[in-house]
Every structure is written in structure tokens, then in C-alpha cells.
Amino acid sequence: MLRRFSALFFLSVAVSLAMPAWARNWNAKTDWGATGNGKTDDSRAIQRGVARMVSGDSVVFPAPGSYYMGSTVVFKAGGIRVKCQPGAMLVGPNRGTDIFTNLQSNTAIGGSATTGCIFNGGGIQASGRGGDSEQTRDQAITNLTFTYNTFENMTYGPNDN
């Protein structure tokens, strides 16, 4: 009887260790410490939070909020979702730079009329790993979804199309 119990216990522990962790829903203010006051540079707090995201995670930028990012936030994981509450704004320095860059495959920004983001003074970029030269299939980014977002007050950058 003890041998059977030990085998079942070991099997259940091994199975639970192999299962993926549940996706996490992040809040840019409460989880990452972004102020959303439009004056404080929130790029450091948001960058630290984005760096902790894994595939399946979501982040919401709550309203009211104007999240100023003086530096571009670089994404490292794919398969994530970025949502904004109605009226929340992601604000860049309007120097021809991006607010978000290095977006990865299977990423969604926005989603519906109530979860789309307002990008003001900067855009987004997803260029893949091949740079400006031709990309192989494994270097390309696929399945990016941008829905119900608004882009305002964007300055042309020298390398942007």
C-alpha cells in the first residue's frame, strides 16, 4: 500500500511541475508602479513590467491615465496582450521615436472599442530579427493584431515608413 501511494504522489508531483503556469493579468499602475499622471516618465516602470511578461500575459493601462514614456519600451516576449481602459493614453516624446518596439509574434494591442489604446507622440514597431535585409521565415514576426487603437501627433522618424 505504501509503495502504491508513493508512486501516485510522485506521478502527481511530476505532472503538476510539467504544466504551464497560468497567464497573469497585470495592471500598469498597481503592479508596475506607473503613475499615469502625464508628467512623470513611466518608461522605467513599464519597461520593468514588460520584461516580466510571458506568453499569455495581459497588461491593462487604467484610466484615467496619461502614461508618458520618455524612452522606448522594448518587448522581449510574444503572445501577450496590451489593453487600455477608455481614455487611457500612451504618450511618447514626439521625437520620431516609438513608444513600443520589438513587438513579437502573436501579440495583440487593443482589441475592442473599449480596450484600444491612444498612442500620442509615438508609434509602435515590429521589425523581426532580420533587420532591413530579407528575412527568413523563422526571423519574421507573425500574427500581430492592432485593433481599435488611435495614433495622434506623430513626428516622422528618419528610418520610419
Side-chain angles (χ1 to χ4, degrees):
M1 178 74 169
L2 183 58
R3 185 179 303 166
R4 183 174 173 201
F5 175 76
S6 298
L8 288 174
F9 177 76
F10 174 74
L11 179 62
S12 69
V13 169
V15 169
S16 66
L17 291 176
M19 291 181 164
W22 292 97
R24 180 152 181 194
N25 293 315
W26 300 91
N27 181 300
K29 280 187 178 180
T30 58
D31 293 322
W32 297 349
T35 64
N37 66 15
K39 297 174 186 161
T40 303
D41 186 348
D42 287 325
S43 58
R44 278 189 139 137
I46 294 168
Q47 181 63 67
R48 281 191 307 268
V50 164
R52 293 169 50 196
M53 293 181 81
V54 297
S55 184
D57 283 2
S58 297
V59 60
V60 65
F61 288 88
S66 182
Y67 301 87
Y68 175 69
M69 287 171 254
S71 299
T72 302
V73 173
V74 180
F75 282 69
K76 300 194 187 291
I80 62 172
R81 178 175 203 98
V82 176
K83 299 181 269 187
C84 295
Q85 289 181 343
M89 188 176 297
L90 306 175
V91 180
N94 203 7
R95 295 188 302 247
T97 57
D98 295 308
I99 293 173
F100 293 153
T101 191
N102 198 36
L103 296 177
Q104 304 291 315
S105 294
N106 304 310
T107 295
I109 310 285
S112 71
T114 60
T115 61
C117 298
I118 301 169
F119 289 85
N120 188 331
I124 50 181
Q125 181 187 60
S127 58
R129 292 180 295 151
D132 291 334
S133 60
E134 289 185 37
Q135 296 180 355
T136 62
R137 199 175 288 265
D138 67 319
Q139 293 173 321
I141 296 173
T142 59
N143 198 26
L144 292 178
T145 306
F146 304 103
T147 51
Y148 292 98
N149 297 297
T150 304
F151 295 88
E152 304 173 341
N153 304 316
M154 295 173 59
T155 301
Y156 170 75
N159 294 321
D160 295 338
N161 296 338

